[in-house]
C-alpha cells in the first residue's frame, strides 16, 4: 500500500542499526559488467554472508528468475528466496529504508533511485527495475510504504536513532542526485521522511568511491554520538587528507541532543587494487570501468550490525585483526563475525552495501 503523507507527519522515524533487527534482505548478484567470471565468485561470497547472517536473524534474498536455481543451491534452506526483478544487487540502495513509530509499527520508504547519478554520472543506463524493488520488499514483508519525491540511496545515510543523521556533501549535493534542490531543501526532505532533527554533514566520502562518497563506506554510527571512522596514517595515501577532513568536520559539530561526537579511528585496509585477472573477468560497459591497478574503495566501516553481532568484511591480512580488535574494544558485548569479502569490494561496495536491515 502506497501512502501519500510523510513519515514525520505520521510519527515515524529512522531507527538505529544497533537497535533490534527482525530480518535482513539481500539481492543476488548476476551482472556480468560488474561481477567477474559470470558473477560466480561474487555469488559464493554473497551466499557466505547471507548464510552467516541467517544464524542470527531470518534472511531473505531477492533473486531474478533465471538465477533461482543457482541461489537455492548456494544458500541455506532457511534463507528465503523472493522472485523480484532488479538491475544490480545493492539492496542497501535499492531496498526500502524502514521507519518505525513509538508503538513499534513499521513502514517503508521507497527513495527515487537513478544508479548513483543518473545521466550525469550513473553507473548504468537502465535502473527501472531497481526503482521498484523497495515497494516490492515492503509488499513482501507486509508494510505500507511512502514514495519519496527525491533521489537517495540507503548507503548515503546513517542514523543514531535519536534524531541525528550523518551524510556526505559529496553524495547528497552531487549534481547527479537532486540538482534542483538546495542543501536546505534536502535537509527539509530528510527531516520529513526520516523524522530526524539534525543533519551532520561530512565533506567527502572514501577515496575513489564510485557512489560519490556514500557515508557508509567512510564511517559507521555504533552508538549515540559515537562513530568509527576510516583512517590512514600514510601521508602519501589520498585518503590521509580525506580522513582528517572528516574528523575535523565531525569534531566541529554537535548531534541532535547537543552531544560532542566520539570518533574511533579504524584503519583502512591496503591500499588495495584490482588485479589483472579480476579486471579482465568483467564484461566491458560504459558506466563501470574496472581496470587492473585501479584503487579499490576498501573500508572496514562497511559492516552490518545485527542484534549484538557485527558482520565485518575481511580484506587484508595485515589489518584485519587490528580492525577486529578496535571494534571489540569499542563494542565489548558484540560478537564480531569476519567474512572474507573481496569479491563484493570488486563490485564497488561491501557487506553494509549489499544488505538492508528490517527493524524488529
Amino acid at each position: 500500500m502506497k501512502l501519500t503523507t510523510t513519515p514525520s507527519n505520521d510519527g515515524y522515524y529512522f531507527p538505529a542499526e544497533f537497535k533490534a533487527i527482525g530480518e535482513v534482505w539481500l539481492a543476488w548478484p548476476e551482472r556480468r559488467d560488474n561481477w567477474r567470471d559470470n558473477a560466480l565468485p561474487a555469488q559464493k561470497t554473497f551466499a557466505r554472508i547471507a548464510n552467516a547472517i541467517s544464524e542470527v536473524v531470518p534472511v531473505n534474498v531477492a533473486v531474478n528468475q533465471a538465477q533461482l536455481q543457482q541461489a537455492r543451491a548456494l544458500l541455506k534452506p532457511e534463507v528465503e528466496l523472493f522472485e523480484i526483478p532488479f538491475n544490480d544487487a545493492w539492496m542497501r540502495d535499492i531496498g526500502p529504508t524502514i521507519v518505525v513509530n513509538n508503538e513499534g509499527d513499521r513502514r517503508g520508504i521507497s527513495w527515487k533511485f537513478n544508479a548513483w547519478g543518473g545521466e550525469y554520472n550513473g553507473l548504468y543506463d537502465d535502473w527501472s527495475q531497481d526503482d521498484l524493488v523497495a515497494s516490492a520488499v515492503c509488499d513482501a514483508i507486509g508494510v505500507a510504504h511512502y514514495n519519496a519525491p527525491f533521489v537517495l540511496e540507503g548507503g548515503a545515510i546513517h542514523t543514531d536513532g535519536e534524531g541525528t543523521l550523518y551524510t556526505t556533501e559529496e553524495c547528497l549535493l552531487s549534481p547527479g542526485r537532486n540538482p534542483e534542490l538546495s542543501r536546505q531543501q534536502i535537509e527539509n526532505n530528510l527531516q520529513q521522511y526520516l523524522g530526524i532533527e539534525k543533519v551532520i554533514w561530512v565533506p567527502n566520502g572514501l577515496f575513489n568511491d564510485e557512489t560519490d562518497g556514500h557515508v557508509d563506506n567512510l564511517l559507521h554510527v555504533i552508538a549515540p554520538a559515537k562513530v568509527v571512522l576510516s583512517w590512514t596514517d600514510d601521508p602519501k595515501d589520498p585518503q590521509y587528507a580525506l580522513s582528517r577532513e572528516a574528523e575535523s568536520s565531525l569534531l566541529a559539530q554537535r548531534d541532535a541532543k547537543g552531544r560532542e561526537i566520539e570518533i574511533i579511528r579504524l584503519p583502512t585496509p591496503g591500499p588495495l587494487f584490482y588485479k589483472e585477472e579480476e579486471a579482465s573477468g568483467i564484461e566491458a560497459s560504459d558506466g563501470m570501468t574496472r581496470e587492473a591497478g585501479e584503487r579499490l574503495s576498501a573500508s572496514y566501516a562497511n559492516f552490518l550490525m545485527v542484534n549484538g553481532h557485527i558482520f565485518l568484511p575481511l580484506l587484508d591480512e595485515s589489518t584485519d585483526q587490528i580492525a577486529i580488535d578496535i571494534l571489540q574494544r569499542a563494542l565489548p558485548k558484540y560478537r564480531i563475525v569476519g567474512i572474507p569479502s573481496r569479491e563484493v569490494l570488486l563490485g564497488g561496495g561491501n557487506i553494509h552495501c549489499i544488505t538492508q536491515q528490517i527493524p524488529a
Side-chain angles (χ1 to χ4, degrees), residues 21-297:
I21 304 300
E23 60 192 83
V24 170
W25 279 73
L26 296 88
W28 192 250
E30 62 173 272
R31 276 188 87 102
R32 295 180 179 188
D33 61 351
N34 193 37
W35 308 104
R36 69 184 182 117
D37 302 340
N38 299 327
L40 293 175
Q43 288 173 359
K44 288 175 181 169
T45 302
F46 272 61
R48 195 178 302 134
I49 293 164
N51 290 339
I53 297 170
S54 75
E55 295 179 12
V56 178
V57 289
V59 171
N60 302 310
V61 179
V63 188
N64 281 310
Q65 185 182 26
Q67 288 287 333
L68 279 167
Q69 196 172 349
Q70 171 73 355
R72 187 71 280 161
L74 290 173
L75 292 162
K76 287 182 174 179
E78 58 265 33
V79 174
E80 196 166 348
L81 302 184
F82 288 79
E83 192 182 319
I84 298 174
F86 53 86
N87 301 104
D88 202 6
W90 302 103
M91 186 55 83
R92 175 69 47 183
D93 295 343
I94 63 177
T97 298
I98 303 294
V99 289
V100 299
N101 65 12
N102 291 330
E103 284 71 56
D105 300 320
R106 305 178 298 184
R107 290 179 178 176
I109 303 168
S110 174
W111 310 107
K112 280 188 171 180
F113 181 78
N114 71 353
W116 309 276
E119 292 180 8
Y120 176 74
N121 66 340
L123 299 186
Y124 41 81
D125 294 334
D126 180 10
W127 53 80
S128 54
Q129 291 179 320
D130 285 337
D131 208 20
L132 301 173
V133 169
S135 58
V137 170
C138 288
D139 290 346
I141 63 177
V143 301
H145 74 275
Y146 305 89
N147 275 354
F150 60 105
V151 174
L152 189 79
E153 304 96 32
I157 50 175
H158 257 311
T159 186
D160 65 355
E162 296 186 0
T164 308
L165 192 81
Y166 295 77
T167 191
T168 71
E169 295 171 350
E170 180 187 0
C171 182
L172 261 57
L173 304 184
S174 156
R177 299 305 197 283
N178 301 287
E180 74 286 358
L181 298 179
S182 69
R183 176 175 165 142
Q184 188 56 55
Q185 287 172 316
I186 290 169
E187 280 202 21
N188 294 343
N189 277 336
L190 294 170
Q191 287 165 349
Q192 278 299 310
Y193 280 86
L194 294 169
I196 50 103
E197 302 155 35
K198 174 82 182 276
V199 179
I200 301 280
W201 293 91
V202 179
N204 292 290
L206 209 66
F207 177 70
N208 209 35
D209 185 342
E210 63 190 2
T211 65
D212 302 314
H214 270 186
V215 75
D216 72 344
N217 214 26
L218 175 72
L219 61 82
H220 206 298
V221 183
I222 61 169
K226 190 173 185 177
V227 305
V228 294
L229 174 66
S230 297
W231 194 263
T232 178
D233 285 317
D234 178 4
K236 293 195 276 301
D237 190 324
Q239 186 56 41
Y240 182 87
L242 293 171
S243 292
R244 278 151 187 79
E245 173 190 63
E247 186 180 64
S248 298
S249 173
L250 290 166
L251 291 173
Q253 300 179 74
R254 298 291 180 270
D255 74 3
K257 305 291 187 199
R259 296 172 292 213
E260 293 183 12
I261 298 160
E262 180 185 349
I263 300 166
I264 296 166
R265 296 171 176 178
L266 197 60
T268 48
L272 305 177
F273 304 89
Y274 282 100
K275 298 173 185 171
E276 178 60 51
E277 65 269 23
E278 292 168 342
S280 63
I282 298 163
E283 291 185 4
S285 72
D286 291 335
M288 293 179 279
T289 55
R290 303 280 185 258
E291 295 174 1
E294 182 190 346
R295 171 80 173 258
L296 292 160
S297 195

